[in-house]
Amino acid sequence: MSTLHRASGRWRLGLSLTLLTALCWATLPIALKITLEQLAPITLTWFRFAVAAFGVGGWLALRGGLAGFAGLGRRHAAMLALAGLLLVGNYVFYLLGVQDTTPANAQLLIQLAPLGMALGGIWVFGERFRAAQWLGLALLVVGILLFFRDQLHGAAHAPGYVQGSLWVIAAAVVWAGYALLQKQLLVRLGSPQILLAIYVLATLLLAPFAQPAALLRLDGVHWALLLYAALNTLAAYGAFAEALAHWEASRVSAILATTPLLCIVAATAVHAVWPAALAPERIGPTGLVGAMLAVAGSAAVSLLGRPSNAPAQE
């Protein structure tokens, strides 16, 4: 019997959870970008993990779900620890990048993460792509490259832009590794238990470097955005973890690839309502073409992979 995790096949539930994840991640960089005006990246990340740990821990305690760790062997415990380290790296590297790039640029580059997860799902878990899905993946890659070319042309000379982009790329690489580890850990633990362990580990690792006193200096607006970012962590990663339980990693990654487009819409709306808080996103014709190709490729990868004779499931 195979020890690799297999999706439950409830693809509609997996799709819904993935869309929720995409919406959360599309709005997150906007909140982070503004919050970083008054709070250091390490402290912000520590607070998000601490809130998430209390939230998930309290929920599991009420449901009697804390006993699942009793039978965890050394191998899976090591995988869990490594997943936690990788997710900490993802959070910190991404914040360092967001400081010097726009929300849309950061979300564009972080799409290397779900692309890496898609390829990892094929290589590690034996997930299969049809020919049409490979074409969709190609369109997705071309679209992302065109979008990035457009954004790079307009912001290449901004201070710290290249360094910020490299931080986001580093965040994408470590996230792909984390996601594949979490998917395999579902063989032994439920997604809430996995997330709780990762959140607690991350909180403890970052605590010596955080400055909790800085939270007392935040104004009301930045406190609200900080709380949103923390609660976003609970919603996004909870939905993401459950999506992996019900849908293939390659399908999940395809939908998550549309996050930059959602981020553009959200950033445009924020700038229209609150222009002093966020600079406008500037997207030229090449960027728009790239965005449309990315959406088309994502749709092809996610919607053309289900066999026509597969049973409908909810």
Side-chain angles (χ1 to χ4, degrees):
M1 181 180 295
S2 174
T3 59
L4 294 177
H5 174 263
R6 300 295 177 186
S8 71
R10 300 172 65 188
W11 68 274
R12 288 188 178 87
L13 177 57
L15 173 59
S16 299
L17 291 168
T18 305
L19 288 173
L20 174 59
T21 304
L23 288 171
C24 288
W25 285 345
T27 54
L28 178 61
I30 299 171
L32 294 177
K33 181 78 173 179
I34 300 173
T35 306
L36 284 169
E37 296 172 353
Q38 296 189 8
L39 203 60
I42 296 294
T43 304
L44 197 163
T45 304
W46 168 79
F47 182 83
R48 291 176 64 199
F49 276 127
V51 171
F54 278 109
V56 176
W59 183 77
L60 283 176
L62 291 174
R63 296 173 60 90
L66 296 177
F69 298 101
L72 197 64
R74 289 185 179 180
R75 177 171 173 268
H76 287 91
M79 291 173 61
L80 192 59
L82 180 57
L85 290 173
L86 291 176
L87 191 60
V88 169
N90 167 260
Y91 271 52
V92 174
F93 295 160
Y94 184 75
L95 273 181
L96 291 172
V98 165
Q99 287 187 119
D100 295 318
T101 61
T102 67
N105 286 333
Q107 278 298 345
L108 169 74
L109 289 175
I110 205 66
Q111 292 315 299
L112 292 171
L115 284 177
M117 186 179 74
L119 297 177
I122 295 169
W123 178 49
V124 177
F125 296 106
E127 299 176 3
R128 297 181 180 275
F129 264 25
R130 292 180 170 185
Q133 289 178 284
W134 282 113
L135 176 60
L137 185 60
L139 288 175
L140 180 62
V141 172
V142 170
I144 288 175
L145 290 175
L146 287 175
F147 188 89
F148 178 62
R149 181 178 180 275
D150 176 79
Q151 295 295 291
L152 184 64
H153 178 73
H157 301 294
Y161 178 81
V162 174
Q163 180 179 343
S165 298
L166 292 175
W167 279 121
V168 178
I169 291 172
V173 172
V174 297
W175 186 91
Y178 148 76
L180 293 170
L181 281 170
Q182 176 174 302
K183 185 168 178 64
Q184 180 58 27
L185 283 166
L186 289 169
V187 172
R188 295 296 303 272
L189 291 171
S191 56
Q193 285 86 0
I194 295 172
L195 290 174
L196 174 61
I198 290 175
Y199 292 155
V200 170
L201 174 63
T203 302
L204 294 176
L205 285 174
L206 293 175
F209 310 100
Q211 297 178 324
L215 299 173
L216 301 176
R217 296 191 291 269
L218 294 179
D219 58 32
V221 171
H222 287 82
W223 252 115
L225 291 171
L226 176 62
L227 289 175
Y228 173 75
L231 295 176
N232 187 298
T233 300
L234 286 170
Y237 274 90
F240 170 70
E242 282 300 311
L244 288 177
H246 300 295
W247 216 19
E248 291 88 346
S250 50
R251 310 289 199 273
V252 171
S253 69
I255 295 297
L256 294 181
T258 64
T259 302
L261 308 181
L262 299 174
C263 183
I264 292 170
V265 174
T268 301
V270 170
H271 175 74
V273 175
W274 192 11
L278 195 67
E281 296 287 352
R282 304 187 184 278
I283 305 172
T286 301
L288 292 175
V289 171
M292 289 186 289
L293 287 177
V295 170
S298 177
V301 173
S302 60
L303 300 178
L304 298 180
R306 185 168 173 257
S308 58
N309 60 346
Q313 292 177 295
E314 293 290 352

